Amino acid sequence: MSKKKAVQDSGKKIPKSISLNEPWYSRNAIPLLIVLVLLVYVRSIALGFTYLDDTIFILEKGGDNEKLSNIFKVFNEGCFMPKDIYYRPLFRVTFIIERQILYLFPINDFGNYSIQLAHITNMILHAVSVCLLFHLLRKFSFSRENSFLWSAVFAVHPVLTMAVAWIPGRNDLMLAIFLFAYFIHFLSYIETRKTKNLIWMLVFLLLGFFTKETSVFIPLVSGIYLLIFQSREILKPKYLILYAAFVFETALWYLMRKRVYDPSSEQSIHDTISTITERVPGLIQYIGKIFFPFNLTVYPTIADTTFLFGIIAIAVALVFIFLNKERQAKNILFGAAWFILFILPFFFVPKKINDALYEHRLYIPFLGGIFIFREALPSITKILKSNWKIAYGAVLFIFSGMTFFYMNSFSDEITFYKKAVTDSPSSGYATNMLGIRLQNAGKDEEALPYFQKAFSIDTNLRYTRYFLATLDYMKRDSFEHAKKLLIAETLHTPGYAPSYFELAHIAFLENNKPGIIFYLKKCCELAPLDDVMNKNLLRAYIQQGDKINALNQIAVMQKNGIEPGQDLINSVNALH
């Protein structure tokens, strides 16, 4: 990949015709890029649920996905909960549309087909993103050949696997599409000043805002581009219109997000500074994953990720950039700004939400790496000489194979979390989740050691105490230990009904009648539609001869669509 003109020449109009002197692959760039994506990612269609957020949007929110009219509803609530720090309505809209597509076919098992369709959607979105990247690189004055070669790397790079193979990675795929389309029209507007480019640019910016919070940095990156490459014209009227539009759309997004924002998830200033400080080393690890993607995993942590690849990558890039006497400092500066600003949100995510070094976050910052490494390529091609195409082909083939096989880690929830625990042994969350998935699969004995290990790593994990109580102490009839753990779980995770249900079970074994009623009532408050919990509360009232509360419980159950059954009704009527 020989070096071409610098980014600042992007104002020069690029001919639309394709020269016959171009290599065959660059003449057929778009179809080849699409085929490349399909060849590498077609196996993703067979991947299952990982139970890392994907089931929330496909299964738990299945009721919201059923009605097309709920497209309007998702603009008035958070991403995960009605009140949330994440506001991503367009992401939610895609699952509603997918469910409407499935309704066109005679399907009963929506869960199985939904995950398959979701993977198809991600694959298509990735293909669209890759094609748009090709066009964007052309706008940034990359030659047609180099645009294809870089886009092909982006298409198959292993570090981007999670963005495609993990359903919630769709956020990054969608934002990349809107961001790349935005910048294509942004650069066209600078070049032509046509109103249509301004309109399309603002449309894609708004779509980005409603996709992921990272889009708030798009106007800033645009301003940095102008400051670096158009500094003499930065105060001209055509740009003042842009600035006003940026302010208006940012304010609109802010006001809509504010209505559903949950301030309870915020960190204190002290915790925020602490989080940023602890995560700065992750930047080196992220860089290492781009240039040497050999330590990839589904739940990476800073503690379990090596710094070696990042240090080597930075050192090698600096050496080759220094050796390039024609290097363009502006390109490096813009690439660094792009990379840092679009990876920046990682540093502010509260620890209690997640503390993982997720690789899907590199999907958009990756383009910054392309700009920087572009300046190192002339030095590398001088060494390789005419063999650079062989070297490139080998890298592309190796990356494709790595991505193809890495996808296996996303096959199902147990495979996913076993990979997470193996590669990130210091993560209590990953260890705890593997235990939960094994227990859910009926493998209690295999699950117990993971709960024990998770609790030894982090005593603040949710559900760990519950599973230790039910899988260990309850089975050994050590009810006092079980009770202490369950009560602690209710304090730590007050909304988890099964903890109260097990406490009711212990109260029953201890013949603690008030305790039985108290804990079962709490269960029904937290899970009003649960058939088993409601019927057990009704039985408790019957056993204690409390006809008034038994009748009230029947009324509540019937109101919630739970039929108590004639036997229980007869037992209540027999009470005096």
Side-chain angles (χ1 to χ4, degrees):
M1 288 183 280
S2 60
K3 184 181 169 193
K4 299 296 178 182
K5 293 182 181 179
V7 172
Q8 63 262 43
D9 293 331
S10 61
K12 186 176 180 180
K13 194 168 183 179
I14 299 170
K16 293 184 179 180
S17 59
I18 302 174
S19 171
L20 294 177
N21 294 324
E22 291 274 2
W24 65 272
Y25 47 81
S26 59
R27 293 200 305 270
N28 301 281
I30 297 301
L32 285 175
L33 289 171
I34 293 173
V35 169
L36 186 60
V37 170
L38 294 179
L39 285 174
V40 174
Y41 281 101
V42 69
R43 70 164 298 188
S44 68
I45 299 173
L47 301 177
F49 289 105
T50 64
Y51 280 79
L52 181 65
D53 295 344
D54 48 9
T55 51
I56 294 175
F57 301 108
I58 294 177
L59 301 181
E60 293 179 27
K61 293 187 180 295
D64 288 340
N65 297 339
E66 290 178 357
K67 295 182 180 179
L68 189 61
S69 59
N70 283 336
I71 284 178
F72 301 101
K73 176 186 174 184
V74 299
F75 281 87
N76 295 302
E77 61 183 29
C79 187
F80 292 90
M81 297 172 287
K83 293 288 184 180
D84 200 350
I85 65 168
Y86 295 117
Y87 180 59
R88 302 170 178 179
L90 285 182
F91 171 70
R92 294 273 309 278
V93 165
T94 62
F95 296 102
I96 295 175
I97 293 173
E98 285 176 350
R99 179 57 66 92
Q100 308 313 306
I101 292 173
L102 290 177
Y103 281 149
L104 299 175
F105 303 93
I107 295 172
N108 293 321
D109 184 7
F110 281 105
N112 184 45
Y113 286 101
S114 291
I115 188 67
Q116 291 180 352
L117 181 57
H119 281 300
I120 292 172
T121 301
N122 275 26
M123 184 170 60
I124 292 172
L125 290 173
H126 181 50
V128 173
S129 174
V130 170
C131 294
L132 283 172
L133 176 62
F134 170 80
H135 288 297
L136 178 57
L137 293 176
R138 295 287 289 126
K139 293 298 291 184
F140 276 127
S141 80
F142 283 60
S143 69
R144 189 176 181 88
E145 180 181 9
N146 282 0
S147 296
F148 170 79
L149 297 176
W150 279 117
S151 298
V153 170
F154 183 82
V156 303
H157 199 291
V159 81
L160 305 181
T161 305
M162 188 177 195
V164 187
W166 181 57
I167 299 304
R170 180 178 302 181
N171 262 323
D172 299 276
L173 303 176
M174 293 174 63
L175 181 56
I177 288 172
F178 299 140
L179 174 60
F180 295 164
Y182 161 85
F183 258 95
I184 289 170
H185 288 285
F186 172 75
L187 296 173
S188 294
Y189 177 72
I190 292 173
E191 173 190 322
T192 66
R193 302 187 189 182
K194 289 184 178 179
T195 304
K196 70 173 184 179
N197 293 127
L198 176 63
I199 293 172
W200 277 115
M201 181 189 75
L202 297 178
V203 167
F204 287 118
L205 176 61
L206 193 60
L207 292 173
F209 275 131
F210 290 127
T211 300
K212 193 174 182 180
E213 298 77 11
T214 310
S215 57
V216 75
F217 291 102
I218 296 176
L220 182 56
V221 173
S222 304
I224 290 174
Y225 176 87
L226 294 175
L227 192 62
I228 294 174
F229 299 117
Q230 305 282 339
S231 57
R232 294 182 179 180
E233 302 182 1
I234 201 165
L235 295 178
K236 285 193 174 182
K238 67 174 182 177
Y239 295 132
L240 296 179
I241 295 173
L242 282 183
Y243 308 148
F246 289 160
V247 171
F248 173 77
E249 292 202 352
T250 304
L252 175 63
W253 166 80
Y254 173 79
L255 292 172
M256 292 195 69
R257 180 174 181 258
K258 186 179 179 181
R259 293 179 306 129
V260 303
Y261 185 73
D262 178 17
S264 66
S265 298
E266 290 181 348
Q267 296 185 116
S268 66
I269 295 176
H270 176 269
D271 288 341
T272 300
I273 294 173
S274 173
T275 300
I276 293 171
T277 304
E278 290 176 13
R279 291 179 179 174
V280 166
L283 195 62
I284 297 173
Q285 295 173 335
Y286 268 137
I287 293 171
K289 286 173 179 281
I290 291 177
F291 293 100
F292 300 104
F294 305 122
N295 61 335
L296 306 181
T297 189
V298 298
Y299 196 86
T301 61
I302 292 176
D304 297 305
T305 303
T306 180
F307 289 95
L308 180 62
F309 294 130
I311 293 170
I312 293 174
I314 293 170
V316 170
L318 287 175
V319 168
F320 282 116
I321 289 172
F322 178 77
L323 292 174
N324 176 18
K325 302 303 180 182
E326 298 180 2
R327 60 184 177 274
Q328 298 290 332
K330 290 184 176 182
N331 292 351
I332 298 170
L333 186 61
F334 179 68
W338 181 291
F339 182 86
I340 292 171
L341 286 175
F342 284 124
I343 202 67
L344 197 59
F346 160 69
F347 294 97
F348 294 93
V349 177
K351 292 180 185 178
K352 60 185 177 182
I353 293 180
N354 79 65
D355 202 26
L357 201 73
Y358 288 128
E359 292 152 5
H360 70 89
R361 295 192 180 112
L362 284 169
Y363 196 82
I364 291 171
F366 194 94
L367 179 55
I370 291 176
F371 281 120
I372 295 170
F373 200 68
R374 181 193 193 195
E375 297 305 311
L377 278 182
S379 303
I380 297 173
T381 53
K382 277 184 181 179
I383 296 172
L384 296 174
K385 297 180 180 178
S386 59
N387 295 320
W388 74 264
K389 286 189 178 182
I390 297 174
Y392 171 86
V395 169
L396 195 69
F397 180 78
I398 291 169
F399 279 3
S400 299
M402 291 172 66
T403 298
F404 186 85
F405 290 108
Y406 180 32
M407 266 186 285
N408 184 59
S409 300
F410 299 85
S411 296
D412 56 75
E413 68 268 30
I414 293 178
T415 301
F416 181 86
Y417 283 109
K418 280 187 174 180
K419 173 72 171 173
V421 171
T422 300
D423 295 339
S424 301
S426 70
S427 172
Y429 175 83
T431 307
N432 192 49
M433 283 302 298
L434 177 55
I436 291 174
R437 299 326 311 162
L438 288 168
Q439 192 277 333
N440 188 68
K443 301 178 180 181
D444 291 359
E445 291 184 5
E446 190 178 347
L448 181 57
Y450 290 106
F451 289 121
Q452 293 169 334
K453 182 184 176 184
F455 195 63
S456 69
I457 296 172
D458 185 355
T459 57
N460 292 315
L461 292 166
R462 294 189 298 172
Y463 315 123
T464 313
R465 294 173 180 83
Y466 167 80
F467 285 109
L468 286 174
T470 56
L471 298 183
D472 188 8
Y473 293 106
M474 292 283 284
K475 290 185 177 181
R476 291 194 278 128
D477 294 337
S478 184
F479 300 122
E480 278 303 313
H481 283 93
K483 188 192 298 185
K484 288 179 182 179
L485 286 170
L486 290 166
I487 290 173
E489 187 66 65
T490 62
L491 297 174
H492 194 69
T493 317
Y496 191 54
S499 295
Y500 294 98
F501 192 71
E502 291 301 327
L503 284 168
H505 180 204
I506 293 175
F508 172 78
L509 295 173
E510 295 175 340
N511 198 29
N512 178 4
K513 293 181 180 179
I516 296 171
I517 298 296
F518 174 80
Y519 289 122
L520 286 175
K521 284 178 69 176
K522 191 67 179 178
C523 287
C524 294
E525 288 174 14
L526 296 171
L529 303 181
D530 189 281
D531 183 272
V532 174
M533 292 179 181
N534 275 277
K535 286 182 177 178
N536 272 280
L537 178 57
L538 179 56
R539 290 189 183 97
Y541 284 133
I542 293 170
Q543 289 171 3
Q544 296 185 29
D546 189 344
K547 187 171 184 178
I548 294 175
N549 280 318
L551 289 171
N552 288 337
Q553 176 63 13
I554 289 175
V556 170
M557 290 171 66
Q558 291 176 333
K559 181 181 178 181
N560 290 332
I562 302 172
E563 283 302 321
Q566 194 59 46
D567 290 343
L568 288 175
I569 292 175
N570 291 339
S571 297
V572 172
N573 291 332
L575 295 174
H576 298 290

